[in-house]
Amino acid sequence: MAEPRDVPVALSTASVYPESTATAFEIAARLGYDGVEVMVWTDPVSQDIDALRRLSDHHGIPILAVHAPCLLITQRVWSTDPWTKLRRARAAAEKLGASTVVVHPPFRWQRQYARDFVAGVWRMADETDVRFAVENMYPWRYRDREMLAYAPAWDVTQDDYRHFTIDLSHTSTARTDALEMIGRMGDRLGHVHLADGRGSAKDEHLVPGRGDQPCAELLEHLTVSGFGGHVVIEVNTRRAMSGAEREADLAEALAFTRKHLAAAVRLPRR
């Protein structure tokens, strides 16, 4: 068993939506997060390296990861060409001192990109010290119909990547066993998006502890396994009735995460 180690806990800027990227830095600093993951999306500040550096310096909060613009709503952010998006995400991470770029597998209709994706991500990873951590996704469901929207696969462990991101809201939506998936990722697990879910067809991103995913077990595993990446709180606070309620949710998520990371350190050694 590896020696227990401290695991940094970051706040995804997506967790404050519909508030701004700048607000995420402010909340992360006030609550005592170790850093932020920048979700590059339609907020112009999230796309501006100089603006992000100023926010990081002003609040004393490091940028630990950059989430490339892979969502449907970000198809025109940083170009319509997906490889250009990844190159710009890598450049942003390098300039901002972030260690990880999070990327989703391609949409199935991005046929050429999907065909080249696995080899292309390896090539890009070979050109930098930044980790490209490919994130597990899920089938899209409507009533009793299922659509496989991602290629080569939503279950990224079916393909050969240097590093993975595990997202527990996505394992919930996919109705797959998160701990089994983590086992398949092995020491290539490089990044964690921590959220919860209850198996809904809708990607829920609940505060950890409010669903049925093994959030606590995952955190305890990370501490004792020698995990060298980051845990990122990526939750949905859109239904918060006020800024104070949103901040309380993000404080609860941080407290839950630190509690269970620390619990493994206190376990008796054998």
Side-chain angles (χ1 to χ4, degrees), residues 23-192:
T23 299
F25 278 84
E26 179 183 337
I27 292 174
R30 188 158 53 242
L31 295 181
Y33 278 82
D34 298 311
V36 300
E37 174 178 299
V38 173
M39 171 69 81
V40 180
W41 67 301
T42 54
D43 181 348
V45 171
S46 74
Q47 306 169 33
D48 186 327
I49 292 172
D50 291 334
L52 292 169
R53 185 181 290 114
R54 287 193 296 270
L55 282 170
S56 177
D57 291 345
H58 176 71
H59 292 288
I61 288 288
I63 297 169
L64 302 181
V66 174
H67 195 310
C70 306
L71 306 175
L72 285 172
I73 64 168
T74 61
Q75 289 184 89
R76 296 186 177 277
V77 173
W78 279 359
S79 167
T80 56
D81 175 60
W83 291 114
T84 299
K85 292 173 183 284
L86 293 196
R87 286 191 290 271
R88 291 191 64 172
R90 179 185 64 192
E94 290 170 342
K95 291 175 182 176
L96 294 167
S99 65
T100 303
V101 167
V102 178
V103 57
H104 293 178
F107 292 113
R108 187 166 291 276
W109 54 84
Q110 296 175 299
R111 293 181 181 177
Q112 187 61 50
Y113 179 47
R115 278 195 293 268
D116 298 340
F117 184 70
V118 177
V121 169
W122 271 100
R123 283 195 300 272
M124 295 190 73
D126 284 338
E127 297 169 356
T128 181
D129 291 331
V130 173
R131 293 176 171 184
F132 280 85
V134 185
E135 182 173 3
N136 63 301
M137 298 305 291
Y138 47 85
W140 290 3
R141 293 190 178 92
Y142 179 70
R143 295 182 178 172
D144 58 349
R145 295 185 178 184
E146 185 174 286
M147 173 185 174
L148 300 179
Y150 299 97
W154 62 262
D155 179 354
V156 292
T157 64
Q158 294 182 22
D159 293 289
D160 180 27
Y161 300 110
R162 182 173 291 172
H163 291 107
F164 295 108
T165 296
I166 186 85
D167 183 306
L168 267 67
S169 179
H170 295 174
T171 58
S172 175
T173 303
R175 299 168 191 168
T176 192
D177 187 310
L179 296 179
E180 285 187 3
M181 180 173 278
I182 291 161
R184 294 194 298 274
M185 291 179 173
D187 60 8
R188 291 185 290 171
L189 175 60
H191 200 68
V192 173

